[in-house]
Amino acid sequence: MEQDIESPVTIHQPKLPKQAREDLPKNINKECAKRKIQRYVRKDGKCNVHHGNVRETYRYLTDIFTTLVDLKWRFNLLIFVMVYTVTWLFFGMIWWLIAYMRGDMDHIGDSTWTPCVSNLNGFVSAFLFSIETETTIGYGYRVITDKCPEGIILLLVQSVLGSIVNAFMVGCMFVKISQPKKRAETLVFSTNAVISMRDGKLCLMFRVGDLRNSHIVEASIRAKLIKSKQTKEGEFIPLNQTDINVGYYTGDDRLFLVSPLIISHEINQQSPFWEISKAQLPKEELEIVVILEGMVEATGMTCQARSSYITSEILWGYRFTPVLTLEDGFYEVDYNSFHETYETNTPVYSAKELAEMASRAQLPLTWSVSSKLDQHAELETEEEEKNQDDQNERNGDVANLENESKV
């Protein structure tokens, strides 16, 4: 992770977005009041982003179906009622105009006159006939006659358009009702994330769970670090997104979410938390966004649940309380302890500092090669001295034998 650095490039604040101007590096010599961290994603999963100054609003109309589905329920129901009402009024007006232009209104009660629509004596009755035609109710009191070709054509047009309106509006309501957003309400995340040792390594952990008995199929988890940064060239990047590895290469990010699981991120050299210690963590302005995705078992639709953790919600030196117990013939999950943590012995140093201390502790092992070379040289010296002594002893024995032979 690249560190924010001071740049000699002059930054013109008025040309930057509001968030960028607020997050510009401050002079460390000036004492500034602590600014409240603004969430990018709220705890309930809703994104805290508002789109402003959108000039190309016509793009919403090009995808009118998605626009209607995304509307709030009160607006969706209002449009649903208005579409049908306007359609019935429009065709009712046309039926009344046909009867008026044919003179049916002047021959009401005349048994010798064949009207376009029997028993149509005003706009109200034309409106009721329009409703009966489009909804195919067919009470049998008002019927079209065979002496009105324009009425037959209008009947065909209203029947076809009515079917299209029904398919569009009913489909829109069905999709909105069956949206998997409510299914995400039963996917829960722990209130806090924790940092502690696991298998001798410093890890960032959080817990996820599913409250329903129907499972999420092909569930997967991923995490993002949201933190503003400044490049070496002086470019300011607000809310830069960095991937946090939660088991992508090992397959641990694919979950079998039957019981609550603890998701672990190992803080190594590739981790954005590599140089962050316990003392430095509260000073960081960052946010961890976690995303759980999967298919709803009942409907097969993709469901996504989101949550986030800011620095004040990351507990250093804690672990999650176990929630799974073995009962008589089954496992029981105690969701009362789902968010609970307990303190544990954890180094206050960053993962980088721990790795450096571990490497320093292993330095004698790295010197073993040179020490072995010295030991080898000493052994060779000792062997040479021993060989020299043996040679001297052999020379003395030979000299003694020669003296004895001379005697």
Side-chain angles (χ1 to χ4, degrees):
M1 181 182 66
E2 297 182 0
Q3 298 296 317
D4 295 348
I5 61 172
E6 295 290 339
S7 173
V9 180
T10 303
I11 301 177
H12 302 284
Q13 294 189 18
K15 294 184 179 180
L16 293 174
K18 180 181 178 181
Q19 181 69 20
R21 294 197 299 270
E22 291 179 355
D23 291 341
L24 281 175
K26 308 294 191 304
N27 189 352
I28 59 176
N29 295 325
K30 296 180 181 179
E31 293 184 0
C32 302
K34 226 176 186 183
R35 185 165 54 87
K36 183 180 179 181
I37 297 179
Q38 185 69 42
R39 285 186 180 273
Y40 189 63
V41 176
R42 298 203 292 261
K43 294 294 286 184
D44 58 359
K46 295 181 180 178
C47 298
N48 194 21
V49 177
H50 299 275
H51 300 282
N53 300 324
V54 180
R55 297 181 180 180
E56 299 177 349
T57 55
Y58 67 90
R59 294 181 180 271
Y60 294 104
L61 298 178
T62 57
D63 188 12
I64 186 65
F65 186 83
T66 305
T67 302
L68 290 176
V69 172
D70 290 340
L71 287 176
K72 294 182 179 180
W73 269 107
R74 53 179 177 270
F75 298 116
N76 203 289
L77 292 174
L78 177 63
I79 292 175
F80 186 85
V81 174
M82 290 297 297
V83 166
Y84 279 106
T85 303
V86 170
T87 305
W88 295 335
L89 287 172
F90 174 74
F91 283 103
M93 178 65 69
I94 297 179
W95 284 114
W96 179 82
L97 286 175
I98 291 176
Y100 179 80
M101 295 177 64
R102 282 175 49 88
D104 294 344
M105 299 301 175
D106 300 331
H107 297 82
I108 297 176
D110 188 356
S111 58
T112 60
W113 179 263
T114 304
C116 182
V117 180
S118 301
N119 301 315
L120 195 151
N121 52 18
F123 178 76
V124 176
S125 58
F127 176 68
L128 293 175
F129 180 71
S130 175
I131 296 176
E132 294 175 16
T133 302
E134 189 166 335
T135 57
T136 64
I137 294 177
Y139 289 117
Y141 183 68
R142 278 174 288 270
V143 294
I144 188 173
T145 61
D146 56 355
K147 304 297 183 182
C148 183
E150 60 271 25
I152 297 174
I153 295 175
L154 180 60
L155 179 65
L156 294 175
V157 172
Q158 186 174 5
S159 299
V160 173
L161 290 181
S163 300
I164 295 175
V165 170
N166 287 334
F168 185 84
M169 297 308 300
V170 173
C172 178
M173 295 297 292
F174 174 78
V175 171
K176 190 166 183 65
I177 292 173
S178 60
Q179 275 186 316
K181 290 183 179 180
K182 296 301 180 183
R183 178 63 178 89
E185 297 293 332
T186 54
L187 298 174
V188 292
F189 297 87
S190 58
T191 305
N192 297 294
V194 298
I195 294 179
S196 62
M197 301 297 293
R198 173 177 278 192
D199 294 331
K201 298 178 181 178
L202 202 61
C203 295
L204 169 73
M205 294 170 283
F206 58 92
R207 183 148 60 185
V208 297
D210 187 3
L211 301 179
R212 287 187 179 273
N213 291 327
S214 59
H215 309 308
I216 295 294
V217 182
E218 296 184 4
S220 62
I221 189 77
R222 53 195 174 98
K224 291 279 187 179
L225 176 68
I226 309 298
K227 181 183 179 182
S228 300
K229 63 174 290 187
Q230 187 171 352
T231 63
K232 297 179 180 179
E233 296 77 16
E235 179 188 4
F236 182 79
I237 305 177
L239 303 178
N240 181 59
Q241 299 185 12
T242 306
D243 279 329
I244 299 177
N245 185 17
V246 289
Y248 177 79
Y249 298 105
T250 59
D252 293 336
D253 62 329
R254 293 182 286 275
L255 311 178
F256 182 51
L257 198 59
V258 177
S259 61
L261 299 176
I262 297 177
I263 310 301
S264 177
H265 162 66
E266 180 184 336
I267 302 178
N268 50 28
Q269 293 183 357
Q270 289 74 35
S271 172
F273 300 93
W274 174 245
E275 299 180 356
I276 297 179
S277 62
K278 182 179 180 180
Q280 186 182 356
L281 181 62
K283 303 175 184 178
E284 295 288 334
E285 293 187 3
L286 55 85
E287 181 178 356
I288 301 173
V289 177
V290 293
I291 304 168
L292 175 62
E293 293 179 321
M295 290 190 302
V296 181
E297 188 178 32
T299 62
M301 301 183 69
T302 303
C303 172
Q304 184 181 94
R306 298 179 293 267
S307 187
S308 68
Y309 303 97
I310 57 178
T311 52
S312 60
E313 297 169 345
I314 302 176
L315 306 179
W316 190 289
Y318 284 81
R319 289 177 183 167
F320 287 106
T321 303
V323 296
L324 194 64
T325 57
L326 177 61
E327 301 295 335
D328 187 13
F330 62 92
Y331 292 96
E332 183 177 0
V333 178
D334 181 16
Y335 278 99
N336 290 328
S337 305
F338 181 82
H339 302 284
E340 293 182 0
T341 58
Y342 65 93
E343 195 169 0
T344 182
N345 292 328
T346 303
V348 297
Y349 305 102
S350 65
K352 181 180 180 181
E353 294 171 339
L354 291 176
E356 291 175 351
M357 288 188 289
S359 63
R360 286 196 296 267
Q362 294 175 358
L363 283 178
L365 297 177
T366 60
W367 294 343
S368 59
V369 175
S370 59
S371 61
K372 285 182 179 179
L373 291 175
D374 295 337
Q375 293 175 1
H376 184 67
E378 292 176 0
L379 290 174
E380 288 181 349
T381 304
E382 291 177 359
E383 288 178 359
E384 289 178 358
E385 292 176 356
K386 186 176 181 181
N387 293 333
Q388 186 67 27
D389 294 336
D390 294 337
Q391 184 67 28
N392 293 333
E393 290 178 0
R394 285 195 297 271
N395 293 335
D397 294 337
V398 171
N400 294 330
L401 290 173
E402 289 177 355
N403 292 330
E404 291 176 358
S405 62
K406 288 180 181 180
V407 173

